[in-house]
Each structure stands twice: as structure tokens, then as C-alpha cells.
Amino acid sequence: MTATASERPAIGPVKKICCIGAGYVGGPTMAMIAHQCHGIEVKVVDINAERIAQWNSDELPIYEPGLDDIVKGRRGQNLIFTTEVDEAIREADMVFISVNTPTKTFGVGAGRAANLEFIEKCARKIAEVSVGHKIVVEKSTLPVRTAEAVKAILAEATSGATFDVLSNPEFLAEGTAIDDLLAPDRVLIGGESEAAIQALVDVYAQWVPAERLLTTNLWSSELSKLTANAFLAQRVSSINSISALCEATEADVDEVAMAIGMDSRIGPKFLKSSVGFGGSCFQKDILNLVYLCEYFGLPEVADYWQQVVTMNDYQKRRFVHRMVRTMFNTVSDKKIAIWGFAFKKDTNDTRESAAIYVCRDLLLEKARLSIYDPQVTKAQIVANLEAVFQNGDQELSAMSRQLIENNVEVVSDAEAAADSAHAIAVLTEWDEFANANFAKILERMKKPAFVFDGRNTLKGLNLEELGFDYQGIGFSR
Ligand code: UDX
Ligand code: ADP
């Protein structure tokens, strides 16, 4: 049951935390809490035993600069990764829910609404095994009013356990997670119970300055997370829409971004035009926002935000069209080096990466792809390509499987990918790409040797002077 004011037990300082979900959010966030708060025992639990084993090994399941040192510094002391879910929940004063909430692929709201199955299972598990009083913290991004469902499930606990529910959305970006966690712009805590909010504030106050700790009501907190991601994605789609116009008018999108970014009302961040945004959050959260707006009878608002995703899809398609058009209207049987598969640099995460869609469309044009990413495994790349051809829950057709088997190779360095290739497509902005030996690469490529830079990372290298046909996003030369 959720506690009422009169029966609510006194809430002391948090001594034991359990985090359900050892993913890109739960892992780094809990590692940072353990690193900053030596007096708190932090247990990170997951039903995926392989993932937990990786967290306990030398090779962590996620690549994130700075994470290794923090995990290895606290692991086995006050940071524990385990599959003993029930025990960790039972012992904890505070339970974070940090499981995945992917877009639904079936049933009502398919393709838009968030799949809350994993959240609900966590809430039921907490209700089942808890004793005493617990503060349950929603860390995963959730539709507004999810806390209502979590509270309702917890209220059915038969053990007599009592609960407070808080929303504490995570704003870290992958690739910079450790810096973001060390010095967050803000930590947002939404809730109804002052004492529960204070307990969580006291955890963060051990390293985050007081003025960055923001408390709100539950629903504002839930909605703020969706809104922040929608605004960020909107900036990328806005500059990407302008990139198309730049290519038609001889303007340069990076110059336009610089000029508008110097207006302090606009600001310079998140104006980097690209082949399209990816990641586990932006598209999912906007689709979720769109679905919520429709649900609440606000079709105009829904249409407004839907356009951010539509523009992103257009940008990915446009990139492939430009490649095909430039390469004499056919890429069939041409070898194309794909440099980068992660959705951004400094992560091994490929969820919703633009590379998946660009590769799919190139394969549909019968191109041969040689893919290199410094952090993404071959198994991951093949799984992503199979999934995109599967299109939701459908079976992978024999033809698609053959296309992937015959036309995709994954190699272990950028130069090997470009060997005998007709073109290089840069899809992730990994720093190492700019250090490649382009003179040597040019020698070994088919001529004309095309470079399609989906991140404008090689723009300053004057590759045209070396003899490449270089094309980036949002400018024409
Ligand atoms: C995002 C939010 O930034 C973070 O606050 C939230 O907690 C989770 O979602 P993340 O998806 O990890 O973080 O990375 P982010 O840096 O936001 O990049 C998202 C995508 O947008 C990437 O594909 C990136 O390459 C792209 N992007 C970003 C651009 O194309 N141009 C930009 O100017 C910025
Ligand atoms: P995020 O980016 O939100 O962290 P991830 O997919 O990286 O998402 O991680 C979510 C983790 O949550 C996965 O490792 C998954 O196995 C775990 N998980 C999902 N449901 C449960 C559950 N009911 N109990 C424990 N762990 C769960």
C-alpha cells in the first residue's frame, strides 16, 4: 500500500539502494552514486545474468569514457552487481526502477506508445517481496502519470509494506555520461512526500550543489523528461531541415548554425547538422509524447511534435538518395565503406542509430557494405540489420537474410573497409576517422572516390584537394 500522511513511517537517511536494471542508465548512474556516497550500499540487479556477469568482469557491457575506473574503484565494496533481485529489493530503503521502456511493437499504440511491461513487472516484484517502508524511484523515461499505475500496483502489496513513489528522470547523454553525472545541469526530483523527496535530495547533495537540485510535483517531473528530449531533438531536426535548404542554395549549414548560435537566446549547442539523430530516447520519447497528446484529445499538438520524427526520417532517406544520385544513379554491386555504426561517438549503443537505416536503404539498392565501428561488435551490427529488415514482429525473409549474409562484411579497421570501395559513408563522428591515412586510402579506392560525410567530421581536411569527391551535410562544393 502507498503510505498516507498519518501512517507514514519516519524516513531516515538512505543506507541501502537497489537499482532494478543494469543498462545504459542504471549502470553508470548507480556507479556514480556508489563513487560519491561511500556510506550507501548500492546493489544493481538485472534478470539478464549475462549482463550482470559482464558488469562483474574486466569487459563492462557498455562502453562509456571514464566508467571503467569508477566501477572498478567501487565494485565489491559498496557497488554490487547481482541477479539476486528479491533479496536486493527486500534489503533496500530505496529502489530505483531503471528498466527499458521501448516503443510498443504490437497492439494498441503500436509504433508510438511506450511498452510499460517491464515497469509493471518491476512494480509487481517490489510489491511482492518488500517489507517495511520503501521509496520507489522511477528513473526510466515514462509517459506522464505512469507513477499512478506504479502506486496502484504497490498499493496491493499484501505484506503490509508501505511505499512512496518519486520520479527522478535521468538526463545523462551517452558518451558523456560520467561528466554529466559528475556535474549535472540539474537533478530533477518529483514527488508527493516531502520526507521521501528529502531522502533522495540528501543522496545527490553529497556531490551536486544545492541550487542544481530541483523538486517538483510527480507529473511535472515525468513530463519534463519527455519535453527536454523533444526540445533537444527538435533542434536537431530544425537544423537538419535547414541543411536541405543549404544544399539547394549554396549556403553552408555549419556557418548558419554558428551565426544563429551566437544569439544568446538560441545558444550554440545541439545545432550540429547530421545524417539524423538516433539513440534510445529521442524518437521513443517524441512518439510517446505524440501518443499522449492524441490520447488527451490534442491532435494539433501531436502533429506538431510528430513532424520532428518525420523530418529525421527524411534526413536519413535524403542522405542515401544523395549518395545514389551522386554515384551515377546506381550503387548496385558497388562496395561502400561504412565508417561508424553507433548512434554517436564514444558509445557502443546502436539503438535507433541512423546507420541502421542508411545501411538498410543501401542494401535495398544492392550495395555491398564493409562496416567498421571501433566499439560495436559484428554480432550487434548483424542483429540490428536483421531486426530492421524484420520490421517489427515479422519473420526475417529468406531474401533479406541472404542480402545481409552476401552483401555485408564487418571489418576491424577503417582503412580495410575502404579498400577497393567506391565510396566511404561516415555515419558516426568517431575522432579516429579524421586521423586516417587518406592518401593511402585514395590510392586503394575505385575512382572517382566518393566520401559522403554524414557528420561533417572530415570537412576541415580538404579531401577534394587530395582527389576525393567529398560531400557533407548541408553544403555544396
Ligand atoms: C539524449 C539526451 O541528450 C539526454 O539528456 C537524455 O537523458 C537521453 O537522450 P543521448 O541520446 O544519449 O541523450 O545523446 P545525445 O547527445 O542527445 O544525441 C542524440 C542524437 O542526436 C545522436 O544521434 C547525436 O548524434 C544527434 N545529434 C545531437 C545531432 O545530430 N546533432 C546535435 O547537434 C546533437
Ligand atoms: P536503458 O538505456 O534505459 O538503461 P537498457 O536496455 O540498457 O535500457 O537496460 C535496461 C535493463 O533492464 C536491461 O539489462 C534488462 O535486462 C533489465 N530489466 C528489464 N526488466 C527487468 C526486470 N523486470 N527485472 C530486472 N531487470 C530488468
Side-chain angles (χ1 to χ4, degrees), residues 239-240 242-248 251-254 272-276 315 318-323 325-326 424-427 449-460 463-464 468-477:
I239 199 69
N240 280 345
I242 298 301
S243 76
L245 193 56
C246 286
E247 287 165 28
D252 180 318
V253 76
D254 292 318
K272 188 79 196 137
S273 190
S274 68
V275 57
Q315 187 75 349
R318 207 170 69 77
F319 185 79
V320 175
H321 286 175
R322 190 170 173 202
M323 286 181 73
R325 204 177 56 238
T326 307
I424 298 170
V426 182
L427 302 183
F450 295 99
V451 175
F452 298 96
D453 190 349
R455 300 287 181 164
N456 289 353
T457 40
L458 309 178
K459 196 176 176 187
L463 293 182
E464 312 84 330
F468 287 95
D469 185 327
Y470 175 76
Q471 312 217 5
I473 300 271
F475 61 91
S476 45
R477 284 186 173 153

Side-chain angles (χ1 to χ4, degrees), residues 20-26 46-48 51 98-100 118 122 351:
I20 310 180
Y24 283 88
V25 173
D46 206 295
I47 41 175
N48 182 339
R51 210 165 209 191
S98 197
V99 298
N100 39 336
F118 307 120
C122 284
R351 285 176 289 181

